[in-house]
Amino acid sequence: MKKNKILLKQILILTLCVMSVVSVSFSWFGRGSENGNAMQFEKTVGIRGEGCTIATYLGALEFNQVVNYDESTNKLFNYTSFGVYQNDFYNNKIYFKTNITNPNSYDTKVSLYFGSLEYTQGLSAGDICIGVSEPTKTYWSMKSNMPQDGYYYYEPYTLVKNISVGAGKTVSVEWFIHVDDDVNISSLIVHNLHINYI
Amino acid sequence: MDNRKKISRKGILLSVIALIEILLITVTMAYSWIESSSSLKVTGKDITTVGRPVSQAVIMEAAVDNYEGAVDLNNVINDFIDQQDSFLIGKTSSVDGKTFYFDTGNRLGVNTIYRKGTVNDINVNYISFDFTVKATEAIDIWFDGIPTLAINGGAANSAKAIRFSISDGTTTRIFKNNTDGVNAISALNVSGTVKTRAPQTVHQYSEYVFDASAEDISANALFSLNSGEEKTLAVNIWLESEDPACVTNQLAGATLDMDIKLCTSWSKTTAVNFTDRTVSNEGAKNIIANGNYDIYAVNNDNGNTVKYYYKLTKTADSNKWQGQVPYAMMDKIRFIACPAGSKTITYMFPAAELSRGDSINFTALYSYGSTSGHGTWETVQEITFDYTMRYQIPALVRVGMDSGSYFYPLYKDSTTGTSVKYKGYIPASKTNMVFRTYNSTANGASDYKLSWNATSRGTSTTYTAYAPMPNNDVAAAGTWGYGKIRLFFQDKFDWSDVKIYYWGSSHESIVWGEAKTMLYAGKSSDNYHMKYYDIPADVTGVIIFKGLDSSWRTGDIASAADLVNRRSFYPTNATGSGFGAYNIEEVPYNLYF
């Protein structure tokens, strides 16, 4: 045990030394100075393409795995707004997968937004959260904004920002909505799920 | 038995090293990891080199052309934007060039809902970078021409949507490519959750492009740095989504070509010309052109050490050198002449501050050492001082422009009879000057013999200096314009009214009846009245007579020996009356001078 400790200490010190020589020295002295009496920059960069399409699928939870993102289940939403029902929830969560397809011959980056959520039964602030599991990991507690006839959550939400979609490629965004245990949802409508090229 | 754990020296040493490393990493490394790409120092002669003495940075051997180096900021961009080469610029909107907003595609009533950009959008949706400029000498910074910011090599309409902003933290200016819509492009207001449109103040690049023809070139500088000052310049480049020119089908999948140059008052140069019109005290002209000197334009505050050398090139005109000098140096420019191959100053022009105006032409007029250079930035005019007296030829003739100004030597050009012509150059605008003769070639402004107040030059370039009046050894007289000579007449027979008639001049023509009355000059030292009259130098004949009885008169005085050499007469006894009744003799010079 004592030997292990000493060994560990020595490895740690060695690692630190190597890191400070290799990494720190670079960043310490990294960006030096340049001489000149004028400045110039010249570069060509790409501009994002547009014209991607999205399709959203419902998921099911089986053996603690999210499965069945299958177009054949007839749960495909090719719309910017769509509703789901109590049966679609698993442990108070409803799972979605949104495929973003770039049919063009050039790359792009997109962000995925939705406009609002609509519930047929009342929810209090903090009762609902939105999570993204792929390609990023985020979790967001929604706030009730302007209750009207139903409960509308006007606060638009950005599911993912600036994800790269290569030419001819499809990128999947896996996300879910989580409601509190004591809330009985008869239906939920996702409004204006869409992508934007900014 | 001591039961305390024994700690080895090695262990202590290793622990201390480990602690130091942890401290360093915690304090420094973490910071530098995060910030390592946030700034770049741009340095140079005017823009200092960190860790490098200024003097070394400055006196590079390429003294002639060290204004040509430009810092490639492309490295800066590459460090900031996505290293994986997957950076794609997207649409965004900013009213101030600092805060950016993105259309979420959602609406609240008629209002578009935007999201405010975060650090995650920087160099993902738009280009943003900064770099530090440090100036060792004061500089101004401009665009070096209209920058290139083109879509797909030049889709003109969509290019209008490109925005470029540059800020020094205090002043931020937004630029767009085209002349239309300046100051009237809608963009987003920056307040509130639901953004509303607001005017974006936009400049044209041309407003801040270096303009050599401007009366004050600094007036339209983007930024100015004082000597030693450091500024961090932040650049943002984006596609303004609120600009109507931001049309999807022109932009999507296209490329944005950028080529932006920033010049400084040390990179922009102007031609300067140095002309040698010097005359030495000994009367030798072109002391620099006739020596073996290298001429440098240098930056030199009064008495301070020369910092920057720009070598000039001798032209086909052997008196003239020319070269290129950064604009920043023109405020304090001097010229030095050094023995060929060295930088030891033999002569420096001008020795004192001299207003340059807009001139790029300096003419050296006089110097007797490394600290005595005189000259002018004005256009110069060659003048001739025609010293017409046969006696007392001076050792040195000088000309001074204004009372109190320095007197420049003239060189002896030619001698004809008693006329000695001295030549030199003066600022062409000068019309009033003073000529002085000296009996020695030593320096000393007061050590002169005779002085001529040569005022109202007009366009004349030759001043004819006459003999002084009798018994007056200072207040000499002369005239600009066509050459004149002064004839003296000693009135030995008290004619009282003495007249002079002359002919043959191309400038003046008089008839006998209009013969001129000679003027009174004073008494000669043998106590006779002296008369004088100034006649054109090209007169070919003269008759002097008694005004009250013209039969008392001389014969024709028409020989060069008389008109050119003698110029001063007295009548001998009459041999009769009428024409030629009086012979003449020359008045000894010392009787009236």
Side-chain angles (χ1 to χ4, degrees):
Chain A
M1 186 64 188
K2 198 179 175 185
K3 278 187 177 177
N4 284 347
K5 264 188 176 176
I6 292 170
L7 191 65
L8 187 68
K9 196 191 281 181
Q10 288 176 342
I11 290 171
L12 181 64
I13 290 166
L14 194 65
T15 306
L16 288 171
C17 288
V18 169
M19 281 183 74
S20 59
V21 170
V22 175
S23 307
V24 181
S25 59
F26 175 76
S27 49
W28 275 347
F29 307 114
R31 301 185 58 78
S33 303
E34 295 191 27
N35 294 315
N37 299 310
M39 293 154 273
Q40 176 175 17
F41 51 100
E42 185 177 6
K43 189 170 181 63
T44 297
V45 296
I47 301 174
R48 293 179 180 191
E50 298 196 13
C52 294
T53 57
I54 61 170
T56 303
Y57 308 91
L58 271 179
L61 195 65
E62 291 179 5
F63 305 108
N64 286 330
Q65 295 286 315
V66 179
V67 295
N68 199 23
Y69 287 126
D70 188 353
E71 193 174 343
S72 64
T73 60
N74 202 25
K75 296 290 185 183
L76 171 67
F77 304 114
N78 270 333
Y79 317 107
T80 59
S81 299
F82 48 86
V84 294
Y85 301 95
Q86 187 75 47
N87 292 343
D88 298 322
F89 280 80
Y90 296 86
N91 297 333
N92 298 322
K93 289 192 182 73
I94 182 166
Y95 298 95
F96 300 97
K97 180 174 79 171
T98 300
N99 285 342
I100 304 169
T101 302
N102 177 8
N104 300 311
S105 57
Y106 39 82
D107 296 344
T108 190
K109 284 184 180 179
V110 299
S111 299
L112 183 63
Y113 302 91
F114 67 72
S116 61
L117 298 178
E118 178 185 347
Y119 303 91
T120 54
Q121 290 194 5
L123 293 173
S124 300
D127 286 344
I128 186 165
C129 299
I130 293 177
V132 178
S133 52
E134 287 294 336
T136 55
K137 302 274 190 297
T138 59
Y139 195 70
W140 186 259
S141 179
M142 297 296 287
K143 288 177 183 171
S144 174
N145 198 351
M146 291 178 65
Q148 294 181 6
D149 294 341
Y151 278 101
Y152 286 84
Y153 289 81
Y154 279 108
E155 188 164 307
Y157 186 67
T158 311
L159 286 169
V160 287
K161 295 175 191 169
N162 305 313
I163 55 171
S164 296
V165 187
K169 298 282 176 54
T170 295
V171 173
S172 295
V173 178
E174 295 179 16
W175 54 290
F176 59 89
I177 297 172
H178 178 206
V179 297
D180 268 8
D181 288 349
D182 56 350
V183 176
N184 180 25
I185 291 181
S186 58
S187 74
L188 178 151
I189 299 173
V190 176
H191 284 288
N192 195 25
L193 182 73
H194 63 280
I195 51 175
N196 222 342
Y197 302 90
I198 55 181
Chain B
M1 187 71 183
D2 191 348
N3 289 328
R4 285 178 298 176
K5 280 186 180 175
K6 197 172 182 180
I7 303 170
S8 70
R9 282 186 183 176
K10 198 171 151 189
I12 294 173
L13 186 66
L14 290 173
S15 300
V16 169
I17 291 172
L19 277 171
I20 292 171
E21 293 294 341
I22 288 166
L23 189 69
L24 279 172
I25 288 170
T26 308
V27 175
T28 314
M29 188 169 156
Y31 171 77
S32 51
W33 271 350
I34 295 166
E35 291 296 322
S36 64
S37 64
S38 66
S39 74
L40 169 78
K41 281 198 189 311
V42 178
T43 62
K45 173 172 56 50
D46 46 317
I47 310 171
T48 212
T49 302
V50 171
R52 190 180 179 196
V54 170
S55 57
Q56 287 183 21
V58 168
I59 308 178
M60 290 183 280
E61 216 25 66
V64 177
D65 57 2
N66 61 4
Y67 45 78
E68 290 179 345
V71 174
D72 184 1
L73 292 178
N74 202 29
N75 296 332
V76 188
I77 299 179
N78 286 338
D79 281 348
F80 276 79
I81 69 174
D82 194 334
Q83 291 287 346
Q84 304 306 312
D85 204 27
S86 62
F87 171 78
L88 293 168
I89 196 167
K91 294 179 290 187
T92 179
S93 185
S94 177
V95 75
D96 59 3
K98 290 183 282 191
T99 311
F100 290 82
Y101 289 89
F102 300 91
D103 184 346
T104 64
N106 293 308
R107 299 285 181 273
L108 180 60
V110 296
N111 290 321
T112 302
I113 300 175
Y114 296 88
R115 73 174 173 86
K116 187 176 179 179
T118 68
V119 68
N120 295 321
D121 294 299
I122 296 173
N123 292 318
V124 174
N125 285 306
Y126 60 97
I127 296 169
S128 180
F129 63 92
D130 57 51
F131 55 97
T132 302
V133 176
K134 185 173 183 182
T136 57
E137 300 286 351
I139 60 169
D140 295 320
I141 300 175
W142 303 265
F143 289 117
D144 190 2
I146 306 281
T148 298
L149 284 152
I151 304 290
N152 261 5
N157 188 58
S158 56
K160 294 177 186 173
I162 304 167
R163 295 291 187 275
F164 173 96
S165 75
I166 187 163
S167 173
D168 66 350
T170 304
T171 305
T172 304
R173 295 187 184 91
I174 301 174
F175 295 88
K176 74 190 292 274
N177 269 340
N178 301 80
T179 56
D180 58 340
V182 166
N183 295 328
I185 298 299
S186 290
L188 300 176
N189 205 334
V190 294
S191 61
T193 304
V194 178
K195 308 304 173 192
T196 54
R197 291 163 192 269
Q200 183 189 55
T201 302
V202 186
H203 295 277
Q204 293 174 244
Y205 294 105
S206 56
E207 296 173 48
Y208 294 92
V209 168
F210 175 78
D211 180 8
S213 66
E215 194 166 319
D216 175 10
I217 60 166
S218 298
N220 72 332
L222 275 169
F223 305 107
S224 298
L225 279 77
N226 295 322
S227 175
E229 192 179 2
E230 192 171 307
K231 277 188 177 177
T232 298
L233 302 183
V235 170
N236 287 312
I237 301 167
W238 73 100
L239 298 175
E240 175 55 59
S241 60
E242 294 297 307
D243 192 318
C246 197
V247 180
T248 296
N249 61 12
Q250 291 182 359
L251 298 171
T255 53
L256 168 60
D257 297 321
M258 299 175 287
D259 186 1
I260 299 168
K261 292 176 187 148
L262 298 173
C263 61
T264 74
S265 44
W266 282 93
S267 69
K268 301 305 288 186
T269 62
T270 178
V272 288
N273 298 309
F274 175 88
T275 305
D276 175 25
R277 299 295 183 198
T278 53
V279 177
S280 73
N281 287 335
E282 292 72 29
K285 63 177 181 175
N286 303 329
I287 58 176
I288 297 168
N290 291 332
N292 186 19
Y293 295 104
D294 289 340
I295 305 295
Y296 294 93
V298 298
N299 174 307
N300 177 245
D301 277 328
N302 274 339
N304 289 345
T305 309
V306 169
K307 286 184 176 178
Y308 310 117
Y309 297 81
Y310 294 87
K311 195 174 182 181
L312 306 189
T313 307
K314 204 165 190 175
T315 67
D317 174 351
S318 62
N319 285 343
K320 191 173 176 181
W321 287 257
Q322 61 185 23
Q324 292 287 321
V325 170
Y327 276 94
M329 245 185 57
M330 293 301 281
D331 287 341
K332 295 168 182 172
I333 190 170
R334 299 273 200 280
F335 298 90
I336 58 172
C338 308
S342 89
K343 286 189 175 132
T344 305
I345 301 172
T346 306
Y347 299 107
M348 174 179 281
F349 302 92
E353 290 279 358
L354 192 62
S355 175
R356 183 177 64 84
D358 293 330
S359 175
I360 59 168
N361 299 305
F362 183 83
T363 302
L365 296 173
Y366 173 62
S367 180
Y368 60 86
S370 61
T371 59
S372 68
H374 296 268
T376 181
W377 286 98
E378 290 187 38
T379 306
V380 292
Q381 171 65 54
E382 186 178 38
I383 53 156
T384 301
F385 177 75
D386 188 358
Y387 182 85
T388 63
M389 292 161 286
R390 62 185 298 190
Y391 299 102
Q392 297 196 0
I393 301 300
L396 178 64
V397 177
R398 291 175 183 266
V399 60
M401 291 313 110
D402 301 302
S403 59
S405 76
Y406 210 87
F407 279 71
Y408 311 121
L410 303 178
Y411 68 92
K412 190 187 288 186
D413 180 62
S414 61
T415 301
T416 309
T418 64
S419 169
V420 185
K421 289 187 171 61
Y422 297 85
K423 288 189 173 179
Y425 286 81
I426 59 166
S429 67
K430 302 293 183 186
T431 58
N432 298 327
M433 60 210 68
V434 177
F435 293 98
R436 286 174 179 172
T437 57
Y438 298 78
N439 289 335
S440 82
T441 58
N443 279 303
S446 62
D447 181 31
Y448 60 90
K449 177 66 178 170
L450 297 175
S451 183
W452 288 263
N453 286 317
T455 58
S456 304
R457 179 172 72 84
T459 56
S460 300
T461 59
T462 296
Y463 185 82
T464 306
Y466 307 140
M469 296 301 175
N471 300 321
N472 186 337
D473 60 358
V474 175
T479 183
W480 288 105
Y482 55 84
K484 289 191 176 182
I485 55 175
R486 173 165 293 181
L487 290 190
F488 283 94
F489 182 77
Q490 192 177 34
D491 190 10
K492 275 203 164 179
F493 296 106
D494 285 328
W495 290 354
S496 183
D497 178 23
V498 181
K499 289 194 180 304
I500 182 169
Y501 169 71
Y502 49 87
W503 62 92
S505 170
S506 61
H507 303 292
E508 293 179 26
S509 177
I510 58 173
V511 296
W512 179 263
E514 295 173 350
K516 304 296 183 184
T517 301
M518 295 190 79
L519 305 172
Y520 184 63
K523 279 188 172 180
S524 60
S525 53
D526 55 355
N527 216 26
Y528 289 104
H529 295 298
M530 294 289 290
K531 305 275 186 173
Y532 76 97
Y533 199 79
D534 300 332
I535 62 172
D538 59 349
V539 159
T540 57
V542 166
I543 292 172
I544 299 171
F545 58 96
K546 183 178 180 179
L548 300 173
D549 182 353
S550 61
S551 63
W552 298 28
R553 58 185 176 183
T554 69
D556 292 353
I557 305 171
S559 68
D562 288 331
L563 288 176
V564 177
N565 296 337
R566 297 169 74 173
R567 295 190 182 173
S568 182
F569 315 102
Y570 68 90
T572 58
N573 287 332
T575 56
S577 64
F579 183 77
Y582 288 86
N583 290 324
I584 55 167
E585 292 293 338
E586 183 181 13
V587 180
Y589 193 68
N590 59 2
L591 291 182
Y592 66 92
F593 185 72

